[in-house]
Amino acid sequence: MSTQIQYYNHDDPATAMNLSQKASSLLSKSSLKRKSQVVSIVSAIEEPSEWAELEQVFLACLRTGDDESAHLCLERITTRFGAANHRIMGLRGLYQEAEAKTEEDLRRILQGYNQIVKEDPMNIPIHKRRTALIRSIGMPGDALECLVQFLASFPSDTEAWCELSDLYQQQGLNQQAIFCMEEALLLAPNAWNLHARLGELNYLASQSAQEGIATNEKYLTEAVHRFARSVELCQDYLRGYYGLKLATDKLSSLPQSKSTNGLASETLRRLNTTAVAKLKHIVKQSSSTASGPRKAELIAAQALLDQSGS
Amino acid sequence: MSALSRLLVSVGLLSLFHAAYSAQEVSIIATQLHVKPDLPVDIKAETLVAVFLACLGLVLGSDQLKPIAWNVWAGNIEKEGGAANPFRLFEDRPNYLDIRAKRREFAEWAKNGAIGAS
């Protein structure tokens, strides 16, 4: 979808900081300055990736609190694409939210969003900003309602299904969260990280299920299936093998039931052995080169291996 | 392209031209002497060796092949930290970014990180 914001690794604060420091050099680039129509005919063809980068720098500046640079970036993007562009409206909303000092400010921004959505119900970025703002000011129930309504109109929006799944999971409604993640997987059947996520959701559901061993087993079996699919789609996928080991461990520790759709204990044992072997291999192979979040993952994997004494 | 492959390609092409030139000369002389033009075996051998050398140089100098299997490609992305994963935005959901929480988190990190880093 054209309105999606292109991804950059923002999770890591250090990355955000490095990115925000590029602001001044990027803003002084001549290719991103405003040109008259005559000049733009003879000058070099503009690179879409430069604008995408400017957008990322804008987000990083907002995050690191460099509001002045963020404002300059936003102005530059707005002059190029126009203030009525949906994506630009979303970015402007984001800027206002970041700038808001009081509850009153936030409420005013929310009213602005409501107004825009009422006038133009096809404005997807503002729909999403509105949901995010409602969720951020601590009204998860309203955010749920908002998202469900949005998905009734835009059922092919994978990102929204994932957000809904996350929101349900946060509210402790595991079954609903699993349903939403399954819907997202229908739209992106090759997404290995979503398969792993669905496996995790099933695993969580099995840990909190109160309905007895049969339901537990059902969830865990599903989790094993999903983790297995994720490692099938992505070789040496640490997250997938981690989940596979956890789920197979738990499933084989359950008392044997007579249900026919469960996995054979021999299959489980082999899956578990494979997962352990693969985890050891991955930890050994990449622990010397890893850094940042990846390093933390490897440490967790090592801890899991140590814990089970294998 | 490495130096070896460059060398192989240039030597191959040069000797290919040389073989072509020799063949041309043989044909001219044969016509002048009114005999049946018969290509000597050394020119034939030179042509074959030249083509082989040039091909070898091109193959050696080509880029590394890209993975064509989905799981290998995905595995490489994950090995590099997963930033290039096209499905990653479904988990990070940048359009639903809670910027105020992110700002707080960064301020927190900067406060602790500044102490930790120095």
Side-chain angles (χ1 to χ4, degrees):
Chain A
M1 200 171 279
S2 62
T3 48
Q4 303 284 19
I5 294 177
Q6 196 195 348
Y7 180 74
Y8 223 102
N9 190 356
H10 281 291
D11 249 13
D12 191 20
T15 321
M17 194 166 75
N18 289 337
L19 204 55
S20 74
Q21 283 161 355
K22 283 166 78 180
S24 58
S25 66
L26 201 61
L27 282 168
S28 59
K29 248 187 182 174
S30 62
S31 56
L32 295 178
K33 280 188 178 149
R34 191 181 188 176
K35 296 174 204 140
S36 73
Q37 279 188 330
V38 182
V39 176
S40 68
I41 293 172
V42 290
S43 62
I45 299 166
E46 62 176 8
E47 288 285 336
S49 62
E50 284 188 336
W51 292 104
E53 193 182 1
L54 189 62
E55 185 186 27
Q56 297 305 327
V57 169
F58 163 71
L59 291 175
C61 285
L62 265 196
R63 186 169 169 197
T64 52
D66 185 357
D67 295 337
E68 209 172 305
S69 303
H71 184 74
L72 287 174
C73 291
L74 184 62
E75 283 303 306
R76 194 65 62 79
I77 301 176
T78 313
T79 10
R80 171 65 184 80
F81 296 99
N85 183 306
H86 288 179
R87 187 154 155 182
I88 305 298
M89 287 169 93
L91 291 181
R92 185 163 292 278
L94 201 62
Y95 178 75
Q96 287 169 343
E97 281 175 48
E99 288 286 275
K101 296 275 186 303
T102 59
E103 292 283 315
E104 190 53 44
D105 289 341
L106 288 174
R107 210 157 296 138
R108 227 183 22 253
I109 295 168
L110 189 57
Q111 276 165 5
Y113 287 162
N114 288 341
Q115 188 65 31
I116 295 170
V117 167
K118 209 190 252 170
E119 283 164 12
D120 180 10
M122 296 302 289
N123 195 333
I124 294 174
I126 292 293
H127 268 295
K128 292 186 170 178
R129 283 311 328 143
R130 179 164 161 255
T131 315
L133 181 56
I134 294 175
R135 185 179 180 180
S136 146
I137 56 182
M139 298 196 288
D142 292 340
L144 273 178
E145 203 177 313
C146 225
L147 262 175
V148 171
Q149 273 180 12
F150 175 78
L151 279 168
S153 316
F154 302 93
S156 61
D157 195 315
T158 318
E159 192 186 17
W161 279 114
C162 293
E163 176 76 7
L164 187 58
S165 167
D166 186 55
L167 201 50
Y168 273 131
Q169 205 273 321
Q170 205 184 41
Q171 302 302 307
L173 299 164
N174 282 318
Q175 245 177 325
Q176 282 84 341
I178 289 171
F179 174 84
C180 294
M181 196 43 81
E182 283 169 352
E183 288 291 324
L185 267 178
L186 284 180
L187 296 162
N190 283 346
W192 59 94
N193 55 342
L194 294 191
H195 277 286
R197 178 74 193 143
L198 185 55
E200 286 159 11
L201 287 173
N202 273 299
Y203 181 81
L204 284 175
S206 79
Q207 295 315 99
S208 59
Q210 309 289 325
E211 294 105 43
I213 290 177
T215 328
N216 253 354
E217 191 184 347
K218 195 190 86 195
Y219 280 131
L220 278 174
T221 312
E222 188 57 26
V224 170
H225 281 302
R226 303 281 46 102
F227 284 127
R229 180 76 181 130
S230 81
V231 296
E232 188 186 3
L233 282 167
C234 177
Q235 72 173 9
D236 293 349
Y237 190 29
L238 183 63
R239 183 175 170 191
Y241 281 117
Y242 189 96
L244 192 61
K245 170 157 169 49
L246 269 186
T248 45
D249 274 348
K250 280 272 190 274
L251 196 53
S252 44
S253 70
L254 286 181
Q256 281 291 315
S257 72
K258 292 178 190 67
S259 69
T260 48
N261 57 354
L263 290 157
S265 56
E266 173 60 18
T267 318
L268 273 183
R269 198 186 54 73
R270 279 174 47 208
L271 277 174
N272 192 282
T273 328
T274 315
V276 170
K278 277 284 183 185
L279 279 177
K280 275 185 187 161
H281 169 72
I282 298 168
V283 170
K284 203 173 130 194
Q285 197 184 37
S286 44
S287 53
S288 54
T289 54
S291 65
R294 175 83 177 158
K295 190 149 198 159
E297 276 182 9
L298 288 170
I299 291 170
Q302 187 59 52
L304 180 74
L305 287 172
D306 293 344
Q307 194 187 344
S308 59
S310 50
Chain B
M1 232 184 199
S2 67
L4 177 68
S5 70
R6 268 169 210 274
L7 185 74
L8 281 175
V9 172
S10 41
V11 165
L13 286 181
L14 270 178
S15 59
L16 188 62
F17 277 117
H18 181 253
Y21 178 72
S22 309
Q24 157 84 358
E25 288 294 294
V26 165
S27 135
I28 289 172
I29 294 169
T31 321
Q32 280 170 355
L33 299 178
H34 301 288
V35 293
K36 192 169 159 264
D38 200 11
L39 209 56
V41 75
D42 58 340
I43 297 184
K44 289 182 188 165
E46 189 185 12
T47 312
L48 289 179
V49 170
V51 170
F52 175 75
L53 282 185
C55 288
L56 186 70
L58 285 175
V59 169
L60 284 181
S62 61
D63 286 339
Q64 191 122 43
L65 297 181
K66 296 214 167 69
I68 52 168
W70 179 284
N71 62 342
V72 179
W73 166 75
N76 286 347
I77 288 179
E78 285 300 326
K79 228 171 269 167
E80 284 154 18
N85 181 352
F87 304 109
R88 187 162 176 164
L89 79 141
F90 296 144
E91 274 197 290
D92 293 324
R93 301 183 297 278
N95 286 306
Y96 288 102
L97 180 71
D98 184 356
I99 189 69
R100 295 186 307 131
K102 286 279 176 197
R103 271 162 87 94
R104 279 196 295 275
E105 186 192 308
F106 183 84
E108 210 45 43
W109 175 84
K111 219 163 46 184
N112 300 333
I115 300 161
S118 59

